[in-house]
Amino acid sequence: MYSEINQYCQSRGVDLLVVSKMRSIEEVYSIYHQGQRQFAENRVQDLLSKKDQLPDDIQWHLIGTLQRNKVKWVAPFISLIHSIDDFKLWEEIHRQALMNKRIIPGLLQIKVAAEESKFGFSFDRLLQILEQDPWNLLSGVQIRGVMGLSSLTDDQNQIRNEFKTLKMYFERLKTQYFNYPEFSTLSMGMSGDYQIAIEEGSTLVRIGSKIFS
Ligand SMILES: *Cc1c(COP(=O)(O)O)cnc(C)c1O
């Protein structure tokens, strides 16, 4: 399925991030050899182990919950952290970026799904932080946009509405707080809902199972 999905994304100007979690090195190689260079893992340990065994020109993204004490392991090389969902984590990424003399790109993960279990800032909480906390001083992190997950449901309308909400948050944050060209990534859409996500303005889809099936 890789080449179909890749073509679909390319023709719509959307970045394809291949989620390699739980896949073998051989499986990842088979996609790499078709030209893919952006891969994502959701756990730091797995990311480090894959990075070790695969070519150096892969750009690695982190898409899962990141614990503060693990930031140091990915700080030297990570291309994009999709899961900034806490101010203290944001601060720690900044600190580790300075230690590595680099600027780490990140996305603010915002909760739009109905389920309790989905991680991310509530939008209200995020606005509160943006008003009250000294995030502007965290020069080691460049916020490039937002990431979100839709609910696990068959209700296509609900999924579409959640993506519309995320897109609205993205636009509002860009206008009010992050008014620079690099704030341009709307990371939404997975195997089950990437077409809807793209229709609703996604600029980057994170696809795993459908690519490897
Ligand atoms: C696993 C995962 C994906 C990919 O999910 P698929 O349904 O396999 O495409 C995307 N985003 C996040 C945050 C994930 O954990």
Side-chain angles (χ1 to χ4, degrees), residues 20-184:
S20 55
K21 69 180 183 208
M22 300 181 309
R23 305 295 163 181
S24 68
I25 297 299
E26 290 70 27
E27 284 175 295
V28 180
Y29 254 119
S30 77
I31 306 298
Y32 175 89
H33 286 312
Q34 295 176 67
Q36 178 70 23
R37 291 296 179 270
Q38 301 197 84
F39 290 91
E41 288 284 326
N42 66 337
R43 301 183 48 205
V44 169
Q45 233 63 39
D46 298 339
L47 197 158
L48 296 173
S49 145
K50 286 236 174 60
K51 177 182 157 54
D52 244 23
Q53 302 173 69
L54 285 155
D56 274 344
D57 63 345
I58 290 181
Q59 293 158 25
W60 289 103
H61 294 225
L62 191 73
I63 56 174
T65 312
L66 176 57
Q67 287 170 318
R68 286 206 294 281
N69 62 358
K70 293 188 177 160
V71 174
K72 59 174 175 288
W73 298 112
V74 297
F77 66 88
I78 199 77
S79 287
L80 183 62
I81 297 176
H82 290 234
S83 44
I84 301 177
D85 59 358
D86 172 74
F87 184 68
K88 288 214 167 90
L89 173 62
W90 193 346
E91 285 180 315
E92 177 60 11
I93 298 170
H94 161 74
R95 223 170 60 81
Q96 294 295 336
L98 295 191
M99 305 229 294
N100 285 278
K101 298 188 168 51
R102 64 183 293 243
I103 293 175
I104 299 179
L107 303 179
L108 300 169
Q109 183 173 353
I110 304 176
K111 184 179 140 78
V112 288
E115 299 117 60
E116 272 307 315
S117 63
K118 294 280 158 80
F119 296 96
F121 287 110
S122 76
F123 193 58
D124 285 347
R125 174 73 189 121
L126 177 57
L127 291 179
Q128 199 179 35
I129 286 168
L130 295 174
E131 287 301 322
Q132 295 174 358
D133 287 305
W135 59 274
N136 249 318
L137 303 178
L138 306 180
S139 55
V141 182
Q142 186 180 52
I143 299 296
R144 295 268 177 95
V146 305
M147 186 270 255
L149 292 106
S150 67
S151 294
L152 254 182
T153 170
D154 290 333
D155 184 347
Q156 308 275 301
N157 258 327
Q158 183 181 344
I159 292 172
R160 188 176 295 280
N161 282 329
E162 290 170 354
F163 287 149
K164 279 189 202 292
T165 301
L166 191 61
K167 163 84 171 169
M168 186 184 73
Y169 292 161
F170 171 82
E171 295 297 344
R172 179 155 167 212
L173 293 174
K174 183 163 178 72
T175 308
Q176 245 174 296
Y177 300 99
F178 305 99
N179 212 333
Y180 46 81
E182 295 85 355
F183 188 91
S184 59

Side-chain angles (χ1 to χ4, degrees), residues 19 21 42 63-64 147 149 189-192 206-210:
V19 178
K21 69 180 183 208
N42 66 337
I63 56 174
M147 186 270 255
L149 292 106
M190 314 183 1
S191 291
R206 311 175 307 269
I207 305 187
S209 40
K210 196 156 179 190

